[in-house]
Amino acid sequence: MASDGSSTPAQLESEIRASVSGGSGGGDGGAAYEGPDRISSLADTLLHHILVFLPVVEAIRTCVLSSRWARVWTGLPRLHLDDDAAEAVDSFPALVDGVLRRYDASVNLRDLTISAHGEELGLDNDDIISCVAAAARLVTGRFYLDVSRGIDISEDYDEETNLLDLPCFERATEIAVSIADMAVLLTPDGHGRTFALLTKLRLSETFIADEGELLSEVVSYGCPRLRILELVDIHSGARELTIHTTSLLTLCVMSINDMHLLEVDAANLRWMKVKDCFDIEAAGSVLSLSTPAMEEFYWEDCCPEEVKLVREPAEFLKKITCVDSALTYLSLISGSQSYYTRILELFSSTCTDVLQIKFTIKPESEEQKTFIHSVNLPYCSELELTVEKNQHTLAPTIVHLLKKSRWIRRFSLKISPKKIHIQCEPDCTCRQPSNWKDQEISLGSLEELSIVGFGATYDEKRLIYFIIKKSKVLRKVSMSFLATAPFSMPGATLCSTAVVATVVYEPGATHCSATTTVDLLTGC
């Protein structure tokens, strides 16, 4: 900040007043309005409501209108100090400093955004620390800090110069910090103060200065009203997270490098997502959950070495999603396994409305064999499978899984485009058992069947016929597919080539409907 105490708002006031007085004797012959100033007679709250629709620099410029307007802008309930504001002033750090200096702690600053991208804006670490301290004093609602100056601290990290010690925000309800070139440190307040009103905390695109211990302590004991916690793209420093809370409802941890321990004891947690945090080669990694109120659980990660469900969900879950992470960043590693089946086993005695599983067919994988033959799936009323075939046979695998889900009412199958072209041999184990078409299986509750990405291959057609044959109360079949050859089923015929179409078939009906890019259906 400016060492002489000068600030851009002060400069703006001085410059604007000079220009107004210099042009007061204008010779355009226009008559000045001499009637009552009705706008200035409005209450401050109404003027604030008007000014928040202006860019902050323009709002500051209203100070020259009269003595009545001199400090009106200092009571604005929302401030957005961003790259656009920086273009209108000579010094962005001076603008931020000058604006925040003029605010009184009694002002109800409900929304403060400080956003700066690019080293040319001139914000140094001291500037950022100073404005965050001012925000902690002023903000009564949401504080959003988004700074990226193109500085790489991952290789040359100096804790003293690159540390952002986040002070206690006693009145803020939401905090979001994204700062790529400083490390954020949350420490318990030594004076017994807490983030008393905080309901949402998001840290993203940043470093955590400790191993996660202090962050865990603040979240667990210093945020009594915290409902949403999001940790996204944490480059390092959140190795161990131990969260004990009764207020938390939503937890999202994504792309946290080198996570070793995630322990969540949250009696009222409803929604949880874990994605790309655990390292497949990390020894001694642990996941421990005590979440009796869980409603939705999303997992796309490598399974830790030890997994524990200390307290199972007490009620029906709305949705469980489990994604084989080998579909993504592990797909280039030969024989890679994410052991996602162990996460499914955690909930094997749980009931859920929707069970969603995404996986790739890899007959050579031990995990694939476990998944098909041994894993116990949670009881579900809707089963959604997303499958990457990679030229393998699909039907035997799906039939195996349907055996474990005989009570489902709705079955959705999405066939993803292949990412790796391989040649499936005639004796490939993906075709086992070869007599899958004769398997005894009852789908007595199945009412709806949905297929997306249907390629009309022999294997896929036989699978559909198999499911329809085994279903007793099936009411609706819908397919979205790329047809390369004529395909027909009772009640619907597709005669076209290489065109995407959606066919809806209702057994027993006299017609079917289709949504397509051209008129494809005949014989309906």
Side-chain angles (χ1 to χ4, degrees):
M1 305 297 176
S3 59
D4 61 357
S6 64
S7 62
T8 294
Q11 295 169 0
L12 282 172
E13 293 173 10
S14 176
E15 293 170 0
I16 296 169
R17 284 198 171 93
S19 63
V20 170
S21 61
S24 60
D28 58 0
Y33 174 69
E34 297 180 358
D37 183 359
R38 297 187 184 276
I39 293 182
S40 295
S41 64
L42 296 174
D44 279 1
T45 53
L46 291 176
L47 295 178
H48 294 155
H49 181 73
I50 295 171
L51 293 184
V52 292
F53 292 101
L54 295 176
V56 65
V57 173
E58 298 301 321
I60 294 171
R61 287 195 170 108
T62 62
C63 67
V64 303
L65 297 177
S66 69
S67 58
R68 165 74 177 89
W69 288 82
R71 293 189 60 82
V72 170
W73 68 269
T74 63
L76 293 178
R78 298 202 308 267
L79 276 177
H80 285 206
L81 303 167
D82 53 23
D83 296 350
D84 291 338
E87 294 177 358
V89 296
D90 293 332
S91 172
F92 184 66
L95 172 68
V96 175
D97 180 46
V99 168
L100 297 181
R101 279 177 183 270
R102 281 162 171 74
Y103 265 75
D104 188 89
S106 62
V107 174
N108 187 19
L109 185 53
R110 297 191 297 270
D111 189 347
L112 173 59
T113 295
I114 300 174
S115 178
H117 302 88
E119 196 171 2
E120 65 277 2
L121 292 178
L123 277 176
D124 60 27
N125 290 347
D126 289 338
D127 294 330
I128 294 172
I129 293 170
S130 177
C131 72
V132 169
R137 175 176 60 89
L138 295 171
V139 174
T140 62
R142 174 181 178 272
F143 173 58
Y144 177 38
L145 177 67
D146 180 15
V147 177
S148 177
R149 298 166 292 180
I151 304 171
D152 185 6
I153 68 168
S154 59
E155 297 181 357
D156 186 20
Y157 171 64
D158 185 337
E159 183 169 322
E160 292 186 2
T161 59
N162 294 102
L163 183 65
L164 175 59
D165 193 345
L166 201 66
C168 181
F169 284 67
E170 293 184 273
R171 301 190 296 166
T173 58
E174 294 186 20
I175 296 176
V177 174
S178 175
I179 182 164
D181 38 35
M182 292 185 77
V184 178
L185 177 66
L186 275 79
T187 56
D189 188 89
H191 303 286
R193 295 176 297 182
T194 63
F195 294 79
L197 303 179
L198 191 66
T199 60
K200 180 177 180 179
L201 174 62
R202 177 183 174 88
L203 302 179
S204 62
E205 291 286 349
T206 191
F207 295 80
I208 302 298
D210 62 278
E211 289 296 303
E213 181 178 351
L214 294 176
L215 172 61
S216 299
E217 184 175 348
V218 170
V219 168
S220 299
Y221 308 109
C223 305
R225 298 190 183 184
L226 190 66
R227 298 165 66 89
I228 301 174
L229 175 61
E230 298 176 348
L231 305 174
V232 180
D233 291 327
I234 306 299
H235 305 313
S236 69
R239 181 175 170 81
E240 298 185 356
L241 291 177
T242 305
I243 300 171
H244 299 272
T245 173
T246 58
S247 64
L248 198 64
L249 302 181
T250 297
L251 174 63
C252 178
V253 289
M254 291 178 56
S255 301
I256 300 179
N257 285 349
D258 304 323
M259 177 169 279
H260 187 78
L261 168 67
L262 178 59
E263 180 179 318
V264 181
D265 181 1
N268 294 298
L269 190 70
R270 301 289 196 271
W271 187 93
M272 180 174 177
K273 180 174 184 177
V274 180
K275 184 176 186 295
D276 299 341
C277 294
F278 288 94
D279 188 340
I280 192 172
E281 297 179 353
S285 55
V286 177
L287 170 70
S288 176
L289 300 178
S290 179
T291 52
M294 182 82 75
E295 294 180 354
E296 292 191 30
F297 181 78
Y298 183 100
W299 181 273
E300 185 176 351
D301 212 328
C302 298
C303 184
E305 192 169 273
E306 180 181 357
V307 291
K308 296 182 292 184
L309 191 59
V310 179
R311 292 179 65 188
E312 294 183 357
E315 305 290 340
F316 263 91
L317 274 75
K318 293 180 180 178
K319 189 173 186 179
I320 298 175
T321 299
C322 193
V323 180
D324 179 8
S325 59
L327 278 168
T328 54
Y329 66 91
L330 290 176
S331 61
L332 299 179
I333 304 176
S334 177
S336 61
Q337 302 185 67
S338 64
Y339 300 103
Y340 66 100
T341 53
R342 296 179 58 202
I343 300 298
L344 285 170
E345 288 283 6
L346 273 183
F347 297 95
S348 59
S349 60
T350 303
C351 298
T352 180
D353 289 333
V354 179
L355 176 60
Q356 186 179 70
I357 308 173
K358 300 180 182 181
F359 65 99
T360 184
I361 295 182
K362 298 184 296 182
E364 74 285 354
S365 166
E366 289 298 323
E367 183 172 20
Q368 180 76 24
K369 297 174 183 177
T370 300
F371 177 43
I372 295 174
H373 298 288
S374 305
V375 71
N376 293 315
L377 299 179
Y379 170 85
C380 62
S381 57
E382 296 186 23
L383 178 62
E384 299 181 1
L385 300 180
T386 299
V387 182
E388 186 177 293
K389 291 175 57 176
N390 286 342
Q391 299 295 323
H392 284 294
T393 299
L394 177 70
T397 298
I398 300 303
V399 171
H400 272 300
L401 296 178
L402 288 176
K403 281 184 179 180
K404 305 171 185 291
S405 310
R406 57 178 300 184
W407 300 115
I408 56 173
R409 291 186 296 105
R410 187 176 188 276
F411 176 49
S412 299
L413 175 63
K414 180 179 180 181
I415 305 172
S416 295
K418 60 181 181 295
K419 294 181 180 179
I420 304 174
H421 182 79
I422 62 174
Q423 184 64 40
C424 179
E425 301 297 332
D427 59 347
C428 179
T429 55
C430 73
R431 304 176 188 272
Q432 301 302 319
S434 58
N435 64 338
W436 63 268
K437 296 182 290 296
D438 301 322
Q439 295 288 303
E440 290 298 325
I441 177 174
S442 174
L443 297 173
S445 301
L446 186 64
E447 298 177 0
E448 294 187 25
L449 171 64
S450 173
I451 311 289
V452 177
F454 187 70
T457 65
Y458 177 77
D459 172 55
E460 294 168 358
K461 288 188 285 186
R462 291 306 299 260
L463 174 62
I464 289 183
Y465 291 138
F466 175 87
I467 295 175
I468 292 176
K469 179 181 177 181
K470 299 295 183 179
S471 303
K472 307 301 181 183
V473 293
L474 189 65
R475 297 186 296 104
K476 184 177 181 181
V477 179
S478 60
M479 294 181 293
S480 297
F481 55 103
L482 184 65
T484 56
F487 168 68
S488 65
M489 62 187 297
T493 302
L494 178 71
C495 299
S496 187
T497 58
V499 182
V500 176
T502 300
V503 177
V504 178
Y505 163 65
E506 298 181 6
T510 59
H511 68 280
C512 64
S513 60
T515 302
T516 176
T517 54
V518 295
D519 188 12
L520 293 174
L521 289 177
T522 61
C524 293

